[in-house]
Amino acid sequence: MTHDETIVLFVSKPDAMWITWDGRIEEEENSMRNFGRGVLAVALASGTMVSAVSAFAADPIIVGAAVARSGWMVQYDEGPLNAAKLAIEEINAKGGVLGRPLSLVISDSKTDPAGSARAASEVLAQGAQLVITSCDFDYGAPAALTANAQKVVAFGTCAADPKFDAFAIGPYAFSMATATPGLGALSAEWAFKKAGWRTAYVLLDTMLDYNKSVCSSFTQVWTELAGADSIIGTDTFNGNDMSYPAQISRLKNLPKQPDFVMFCSAGGGAVAMLRQIRSAGIETQILASDSMDGDNWLESVPKLSNFQYGAYGSLFGDDPNPEVRAFMDKYTAKFGAKPISSQALTGYSVIQAYALAAERAKSLDADAVVAELEKFKAEPLLVGQTTFTEDRHINYDRGQLIMKVEDGKHKAVEWQLPTSVPNPFK
């Protein structure tokens, strides 16, 4: 687009309303309107009206985000949302999608399942042709169901429960996450084959389906590798409780400590449990999944050591993928801080995937876009190689980067691919 075309597009709707990132609508200032009318007159006189008409016809493609802007899910939704903003900005700078710019509208789901459906309805009412949902099945599925009812493509960012798929939600539902069966499998395989551990203790937070699915998949793969007797104990807790003296006592009083604790939890309850484990003097190795990515919570467990988890990438400048390192730098420059977690990569890749599918379909028709998404085979998106099929709208066998925390400091260890991913529905 030429400089003249850009100016004419800016003023082609003198009474336009401007949608800001947080969904507020603000009127143009009168001085801008007056300036715009003057530029339009110049355009008419100079013969650039064809460009003006063309730009006027390029109405924006509305992307709706029905995600948490308040409540505890913010820590999981903020990074993917900001990353989606960054992807939209970069795609628009290259000409948009099918010659049209992407425009983002946002509604706060308020970390509430009912609020998730309401938020989706609000962005759909604004014309959303893609709905981005929260980073969890429990809190994102209602929005996806609402979008599917209107035959609109819906994408979970890091919603990893395998039920976030077409068979459970509808044919227009996808997730950019690595599904929990893959997360559990790669955890078990890394612990056994790379870390050399032989005995495990499984500690499950029952608050979310995500936690249950990770631990279930881990247990299945681990017992296949190490035998059923290698799990020397299991326990559960509820992340809403915040105090766990009985669980801590049972773990501490085992006849022999395990090689590691497989820890399936998220949010404030996870941090509270870790703090209480270490405060009790239990220094056993702990292995977690990507729900524990990042360092925003580490001040609550000072100088944490013997802690590992899987992640989509490293936030700490040592990711083996230069594209991820470059993304982290751009994100930090734009938003003033690094993402809370590497789950931000999923938000960027949702926009990548939708734009790529629409361009290949040469259409924004939802069925045509879905058909192209289902042809993705090891598509090299920022989050990692991504495959969708008619039967599976979430990735099971994408790898993750194992991160290690020692003395409160993070270090990228190695990339781990799952090789024996269980079917959670058998």
Side-chain angles (χ1 to χ4, degrees):
M1 184 175 286
T2 68
H3 182 63
D4 285 341
E5 289 171 337
T6 303
I7 294 175
V8 173
L9 174 60
F10 181 74
V11 299
S12 60
K13 295 184 179 180
D15 298 316
M17 307 295 282
W18 298 88
I19 300 175
T20 62
W21 282 128
D22 60 359
R24 296 192 307 273
I25 299 177
E26 300 175 344
E27 295 185 6
E28 294 179 72
E29 295 189 9
N30 290 332
S31 60
M32 278 297 182
R33 290 198 187 96
N34 294 335
F35 171 76
R37 293 186 182 107
V39 174
L40 183 55
V42 172
L44 287 167
S46 62
T48 59
M49 192 57 192
V50 173
S51 297
V53 172
S54 175
F56 182 87
D59 292 329
I61 300 166
I62 306 300
V63 177
V67 298
R69 307 301 301 282
S70 57
W72 68 268
M73 273 298 296
V74 170
Q75 65 183 307
Y76 296 106
D77 282 354
E78 180 184 82
L81 177 61
N82 284 344
K85 294 176 186 178
L86 189 58
I88 287 171
E89 182 179 283
E90 293 179 356
I91 287 172
N92 285 346
K94 295 177 181 178
V97 176
L98 300 174
R100 296 169 59 182
L102 298 172
S103 179
L104 181 67
V105 296
I106 306 169
S107 182
D108 184 6
S109 66
K110 301 181 179 179
T111 310
D112 177 62
S116 173
R118 173 196 49 75
S121 294
E122 289 180 358
V123 298
L124 287 165
Q126 295 179 68
Q129 291 170 278
L130 166 66
V131 174
I132 301 173
T133 78
S134 274
C135 178
D136 180 71
F137 174 81
D138 302 75
Y139 294 93
L145 285 163
T146 302
N148 265 259
Q150 296 192 31
K151 297 184 177 180
V152 173
V153 176
F155 250 108
T157 52
C158 35
D161 189 285
K163 294 191 295 296
F164 207 110
D165 204 341
F167 76 90
I169 297 176
Y172 304 98
F174 292 80
S175 178
M176 193 52 69
T178 300
T180 48
L183 300 180
L186 71 87
S187 296
E189 291 171 351
W190 182 82
F192 186 84
K193 297 177 181 179
K194 300 292 182 63
W197 298 331
R198 291 297 179 264
T199 57
Y201 187 91
V202 179
L203 188 55
L204 167 64
D205 177 355
T206 59
M207 186 176 72
L208 297 175
D209 283 349
Y210 165 92
N211 302 330
K212 298 172 187 175
S213 185
V214 170
C215 261
S216 174
S217 299
F218 165 83
T219 299
Q220 182 173 338
V221 176
W222 176 263
T223 53
E224 290 171 358
L225 291 168
D229 292 342
S230 66
I231 297 181
I232 65 174
T234 63
D235 210 343
T236 62
F237 66 102
N238 188 303
N240 289 316
D241 293 342
M242 305 303 286
S243 180
Y244 314 106
Q247 289 88 347
I248 298 299
S249 178
R250 287 192 287 267
L251 177 56
K252 187 172 185 177
N253 293 320
L254 288 170
K256 182 180 180 181
Q257 285 293 302
D259 288 342
F260 73 108
V261 174
M262 181 60 195
F263 184 64
C264 304
S265 185
V271 178
M273 174 60 88
L274 285 175
R275 183 173 61 248
Q276 290 167 51
I277 288 173
R278 292 306 191 228
S279 296
I282 303 170
E283 296 297 331
T284 305
Q285 296 280 354
I286 295 176
L287 179 60
S289 57
D290 58 17
S291 61
M292 302 305 298
D293 189 12
D295 62 352
N296 63 308
W297 53 271
L298 269 181
E299 63 183 18
S300 298
V301 194
K303 296 192 178 298
L304 178 65
S305 292
N306 296 336
F307 186 78
Q308 294 78 203
Y309 62 89
Y312 291 102
S314 175
L315 306 173
F316 306 100
D318 60 347
D319 195 284
N321 184 346
E323 292 184 4
V324 171
R325 296 198 301 271
F327 164 81
M328 295 300 175
D329 289 342
K330 288 185 290 186
Y331 184 107
T332 302
K334 183 171 182 63
F335 299 106
K338 67 179 184 293
I340 292 175
S341 83
S342 66
Q343 289 165 333
L345 298 174
T346 65
Y348 189 97
S349 292
V350 165
I351 303 300
Q352 275 186 306
Y354 181 80
L356 189 59
E359 290 284 358
R360 289 175 178 174
K362 298 180 174 59
S363 171
L364 295 176
D365 175 76
D367 291 312
V369 171
V370 166
E372 290 300 326
L373 287 168
E374 290 175 344
K375 296 175 185 176
F376 277 23
K377 184 176 178 61
E379 201 68 49
L381 303 181
L382 184 63
V383 74
Q385 293 188 345
T386 299
T387 299
F388 297 123
T389 68
E390 290 183 9
D391 300 322
R392 189 162 283 177
H393 287 186
I394 186 172
N395 281 256
Y396 276 54
D397 54 3
R398 186 202 283 140
Q400 286 202 326
L401 183 64
I402 301 298
M403 299 292 299
K404 187 172 182 63
V405 181
E406 290 293 341
D407 197 26
K409 295 181 175 59
H410 289 72
K411 180 181 178 181
V413 178
E414 59 192 331
W415 193 257
Q416 179 71 28
L417 286 169
T419 60
S420 301
V421 180
N423 183 339
F425 304 111
K426 281 188 176 180

